[in-house]
Amino acid sequence: MLYLGIDLGGTTIKAGIVDEEGKILHKASCVTELDRGCEAVFGDVAALAFRTLRDGACTMEEIASVGVGFPGIWDTEHNCVPYCSNLKWPDRFPLTEYLGNLLGKTVYAGNDASAAALAEAAAGASLGTRNSVLVTLGTGVGGGVILNGKLFSGSHGVTTEIGHMITVSGGELCTCGNRGCFECYASATALIREGCRLCEDKPDCALMQSVDGDLKQIEARTVIDLAKVGDPDCLELFEQYTERISEGLVSLINVYDPEVIVIGGGVSHAGAFLLEPLRQKTADKVYVKNMPFARIELAMLGNDAGIIGAAMLGRAL
Amino acid sequence: MLYLGIDLGGTTIKAGIVDEEGKILHKASCVTELDRGCEAVFGDVAALAFRTLRDGACTMEEIASVGVGFPGIWDTEHNCVPYCSNLKWPDRFPLTEYLGNLLGKTVYAGNDASAAALAEAAAGASLGTRNSVLVTLGTGVGGGVILNGKLFSGSHGVTTEIGHMITVSGGELCTCGNRGCFECYASATALIREGCRLCEDKPDCALMQSVDGDLKQIEARTVIDLAKVGDPDCLELFEQYTERISEGLVSLINVYDPEVIVIGGGVSHAGAFLLEPLRQKTADKVYVKNMPFARIELAMLGNDAGIIGAAMLGRAL
């Protein structure tokens, strides 16, 4: 059985034909022209879908279902997107019905980060597990939760907001208005903030020199690369960064007890340099020490996770 | 259909005949004589079960299933209790098989706090919901999670350790070895600790006077009662206490998005004086402010939750 997955972002629309095992057989993409309005964008989505099928030598009849991942909330009870300021859709937009009519096919919808979690469970780092959590360490911290082989999106369709667990009461101010959210300590943005503070405190540090005194050039990678080559200041920042992440991971283990926690997002490109301290620091903090607990793994699917996960929305694991 | 629920604690064994709606028709109890050893205790459990049925004018044939709640981990994969130091059972104890043979009936088992969550969902504060979280504020902080109408106990049978989410990174040292667990701020023990600190800082405070200078007499209730009558010091402690609890509740909302969070445990007897600030402070912190989110309610079943929840282990909601 084949599935069509559509990853609908604010910049790009991607579509792919995906098989039962979560393998992409053919994919294509186009630019999201938000300014043209919702109807035009969905016209583009439909055109991309048909083009992907044609170029992939596949017919709509061979497709079991179509799935769409998007950066917003899917309300499973009312079958609508309550609001989506990112994509400028009307409130309570009936995405699946609207696109279903254009394609003549059953359409499933879901949050894009949740879809990525589903992708990793279908064909990536959490393959073969029933309960897993994807944590994406990027500009913010997002992720998705798979329970009993299915996307878990709660009672109100508010997908799990892992990044807004409060892990440091009274800590850094978050974009959400609270203080001390996990995201304020575990995101790439957090590492950049700490890098900038380091440079302000120690204007002669290696990090400052590496960006020629221009703090705006500091990326998470800048700090990580200096830590990798043994710069003591950046090592200390990275040590504290992984410590804070492990506190969030142990909280996730204490509430979900998953088989696997998958670490994705831009920061995960640090690879074993990130993974090993996370594993060690999390193991040190697990509550029941003489029982097995979640493995921690790096995400495997990268940018394809969006297409694969969207495709899998119509398939139970 | 009727169920037999057994609440097996370190001090008391309780049993009750429970109907489909979670109502106790008859109940009985006896002392847990742990020193007599595991076999003798289960002999007592079986005897109590048969006595409860007899006195409740019910036969084993009328019972659909028997459920046992106990203070430990139930490993659903291996059908055993991996270890239970509280009750001095042998490792990997096959509780359901052992008791099933004694009773000639199918037996289900589960963690007692999880069972209490199931009870509230079957007949208490979360009746009629599919997703709910029970948070018990007592000596420690425990609780249980119901997802899709079923007890959720994770991949390794490690029931959800809500009390060990880290909410205050680097904070108070917890019995689990970590710092800043939710339990260190939300338990009765935490309120007592803060009360003692207040008395040390301000030996002439009303709290100190109320216990005649004997800090060992401070209970959570002592602080709460003084806060209720307007003592500024205890009001401040209680304000900070509810603030910290609300941070944990918002984390639970951000990961589980339940329909209801039920507040139980000894501290919940503070009633509306506790509930109203928790509702207000949690609402202020919810991530998606223009969508519905979990109601916060007080537990309704008190000490009967253990029997009712155990009975419901064999019944899906």
Side-chain angles (χ1 to χ4, degrees), chain A residues 73 75 82-83 130-131 145 147-148 152-162 164-170 175-176 178-180 244 246-248 250-259 284-295, chain B residues 73 75 82-83 130-131 145 147-148 152-162 164-170 175-176 178-180 244 246-248 250-259 284-295:
Chain A
I73 291 167
D75 181 340
Y83 66 96
R130 309 264 315 153
N131 300 314
V145 177
L147 299 180
N148 293 319
F152 175 73
S153 58
S155 287
H156 307 95
V158 177
T159 43
T160 48
E161 290 293 348
I162 292 169
H164 297 281
M165 294 190 294
I166 295 176
T167 54
V168 188
S169 172
T175 52
C176 78
N178 293 337
R179 286 196 173 271
R244 289 286 183 275
S246 75
E247 290 170 346
V250 88
S251 292
L252 291 173
I253 289 174
N254 281 330
V255 296
Y256 286 126
D257 179 26
E259 284 161 88
D284 289 344
K285 295 184 186 69
V286 163
Y287 182 66
V288 185
K289 298 228 164 27
N290 53 353
M291 292 275 294
F293 60 90
R295 285 185 286 124
Chain B
I73 291 168
D75 181 340
Y83 66 96
R130 307 266 314 155
N131 299 314
V145 176
L147 298 180
N148 294 320
F152 175 74
S153 57
S155 287
H156 307 95
V158 177
T159 42
T160 47
E161 292 292 349
I162 292 170
H164 297 280
M165 294 188 296
I166 295 176
T167 54
V168 188
S169 172
T175 53
C176 77
N178 292 338
R179 287 195 173 273
R244 289 285 182 275
S246 75
E247 291 170 347
V250 88
S251 292
L252 291 173
I253 288 173
N254 281 330
V255 296
Y256 285 126
D257 179 25
E259 284 161 87
D284 288 345
K285 295 184 186 69
V286 162
Y287 182 65
V288 185
K289 297 224 165 31
N290 52 353
M291 290 275 295
F293 60 91
R295 284 184 288 125

Side-chain angles (χ1 to χ4, degrees), chain B:
Chain B
M1 197 63 91
L2 299 175
Y3 303 85
L4 187 68
I6 297 168
D7 183 3
L8 177 45
T11 313
T12 313
I13 310 169
K14 300 176 204 161
I17 303 165
V18 178
D19 71 12
E20 191 73 36
E21 278 72 46
K23 191 179 155 204
I24 297 180
L25 305 182
H26 180 77
K27 64 181 174 179
S29 66
C30 67
V31 171
T32 315
E33 297 186 55
L34 288 182
D35 295 339
R36 292 174 61 217
C38 178
E39 267 186 51
V41 167
F42 274 92
D44 292 347
V45 168
L48 178 68
F50 285 116
R51 177 157 66 85
T52 306
L53 289 177
R54 189 195 63 204
D55 293 351
C58 178
T59 65
M60 196 56 101
E61 286 68 41
E62 295 172 79
I63 298 292
S65 66
V66 176
V68 182
F70 65 97
I73 291 168
W74 177 245
D75 181 340
T76 46
E77 195 183 336
H78 302 100
N79 282 318
C80 70
V81 182
Y83 66 96
C84 186
S85 43
N86 288 333
L87 300 181
K88 302 180 184 170
W89 294 342
D91 284 356
R92 305 182 67 77
F93 178 58
L95 191 160
T96 53
E97 187 190 339
Y98 189 92
L99 186 60
N101 287 336
L102 291 181
L103 299 180
K105 203 79 193 179
T106 303
V107 173
Y108 295 86
N111 172 268
D112 52 2
S114 297
L118 197 54
E120 294 291 342
S126 41
L127 175 64
T129 67
R130 307 266 314 155
N131 299 314
S132 61
V133 179
L134 171 68
V135 180
T136 55
L137 308 175
T139 307
V141 170
V145 176
I146 309 298
L147 298 180
N148 294 320
K150 286 183 187 164
L151 197 59
F152 175 74
S153 57
S155 287
H156 307 95
V158 177
T159 42
T160 47
E161 292 292 349
I162 292 170
H164 297 280
M165 294 188 296
I166 295 176
T167 54
V168 188
S169 172
E172 302 284 342
L173 187 62
C174 184
T175 53
C176 77
N178 292 338
R179 287 195 173 273
C181 291
F182 184 42
E183 172 166 304
C184 299
Y185 294 87
S187 61
T189 312
L191 197 52
I192 294 167
R193 180 194 68 225
E194 294 303 318
C196 289
R197 287 180 182 168
L198 168 67
C199 290
E200 283 160 10
D201 289 351
K202 263 195 174 182
D204 60 343
C205 70
L207 181 60
M208 188 70 141
Q209 289 166 22
S210 77
V211 293
D212 293 325
D214 181 3
L215 296 189
K216 284 183 193 136
Q217 285 187 41
I218 297 178
E219 297 176 25
R221 192 170 39 184
T222 327
V223 178
I224 293 170
D225 285 348
L226 279 169
K228 276 185 177 172
V229 297
D231 172 62
D233 294 320
C234 287
L235 264 177
E236 193 182 326
L237 284 196
F238 192 69
E239 149 77 21
Q240 186 152 38
Y241 178 67
T242 52
E243 179 68 21
R244 289 285 182 275
I245 297 174
S246 75
E247 291 170 347
L249 298 186
V250 88
S251 292
L252 291 173
I253 288 173
N254 281 330
V255 296
Y256 285 126
D257 179 25
E259 284 161 87
V260 181
I261 294 182
V262 180
I263 307 292
V267 176
S268 70
H269 296 140
F273 188 68
L274 173 74
L275 189 62
E276 290 311 319
L278 289 186
R279 283 179 171 165
Q280 184 59 54
K281 288 168 192 282
T282 304
D284 288 345
K285 295 184 186 69
V286 162
Y287 182 65
V288 185
K289 297 224 165 31
N290 52 353
M291 290 275 295
F293 60 91
R295 284 184 288 125
I296 300 176
E297 305 287 355
L298 294 172
M300 288 170 56
L301 301 176
N303 291 331
D304 285 341
I307 294 175
I308 298 169
M312 296 290 103
L313 286 169
R315 192 203 81 165
L317 291 182

Side-chain angles (χ1 to χ4, degrees), chain A residues 4-306:
Chain A
L4 187 69
I6 297 167
D7 182 3
L8 177 45
T11 312
T12 313
I13 310 169
K14 301 177 203 161
I17 303 165
V18 178
D19 70 12
E20 191 73 35
E21 278 71 46
K23 191 178 155 203
I24 296 179
L25 304 182
H26 179 76
K27 63 181 174 180
S29 66
C30 67
V31 170
T32 315
E33 298 186 55
L34 287 183
D35 295 339
R36 292 175 60 218
C38 178
E39 267 186 50
V41 168
F42 274 92
D44 292 347
V45 168
L48 179 67
F50 285 116
R51 176 156 66 86
T52 306
L53 290 176
R54 189 196 62 205
D55 293 351
C58 178
T59 64
M60 196 55 101
E61 286 67 41
E62 295 172 79
I63 297 292
S65 66
V66 177
V68 182
F70 65 97
I73 291 167
W74 177 246
D75 181 340
T76 46
E77 194 184 336
H78 303 99
N79 282 315
C80 71
V81 182
Y83 66 96
C84 187
S85 43
N86 288 332
L87 299 181
K88 302 179 185 174
W89 293 343
D91 283 356
R92 305 184 66 77
F93 178 57
L95 190 160
T96 53
E97 186 190 337
Y98 189 91
L99 186 60
N101 286 338
L102 290 181
L103 298 179
K105 202 80 192 177
T106 303
V107 173
Y108 295 86
N111 173 268
D112 53 2
S114 296
L118 197 56
E120 293 291 342
S126 42
L127 176 64
T129 67
R130 309 264 315 153
N131 300 314
S132 61
V133 178
L134 170 69
V135 180
T136 55
L137 308 175
T139 307
V141 171
V145 177
I146 309 297
L147 299 180
N148 293 319
K150 286 184 186 160
L151 197 60
F152 175 73
S153 58
S155 287
H156 307 95
V158 177
T159 43
T160 48
E161 290 293 348
I162 292 169
H164 297 281
M165 294 190 294
I166 295 176
T167 54
V168 188
S169 172
E172 301 284 343
L173 187 63
C174 184
T175 52
C176 78
N178 293 337
R179 286 196 173 271
C181 290
F182 184 42
E183 172 167 303
C184 299
Y185 295 87
S187 61
T189 312
L191 197 52
I192 294 166
R193 180 194 66 224
E194 294 303 317
C196 289
R197 286 181 184 168
L198 167 68
C199 292
E200 283 160 11
D201 289 351
K202 263 195 172 181
D204 60 342
C205 69
L207 180 61
M208 188 70 140
Q209 288 166 22
S210 78
V211 294
D212 294 324
D214 181 4
L215 297 189
K216 284 183 193 136
Q217 286 186 41
I218 297 178
E219 296 177 24
R221 193 168 39 185
T222 327
V223 178
I224 292 170
D225 286 348
L226 279 170
K228 276 184 176 173
V229 297
D231 172 62
D233 293 322
C234 286
L235 264 177
E236 193 183 324
L237 284 196
F238 191 70
E239 149 76 21
Q240 185 153 37
Y241 178 67
T242 53
E243 179 68 20
R244 289 286 183 275
I245 297 175
S246 75
E247 290 170 346
L249 299 186
V250 88
S251 292
L252 291 173
I253 289 174
N254 281 330
V255 296
Y256 286 126
D257 179 26
E259 284 161 88
V260 181
I261 293 181
V262 180
I263 307 291
V267 176
S268 70
H269 296 140
F273 188 69
L274 173 74
L275 190 61
E276 290 312 320
L278 288 188
R279 283 179 171 167
Q280 185 59 55
K281 289 168 192 282
T282 304
D284 289 344
K285 295 184 186 69
V286 163
Y287 182 66
V288 185
K289 298 228 164 27
N290 53 353
M291 292 275 294
F293 60 90
R295 285 185 286 124
I296 299 176
E297 305 286 356
L298 295 172
M300 289 170 58
L301 301 175
N303 292 332
D304 284 341

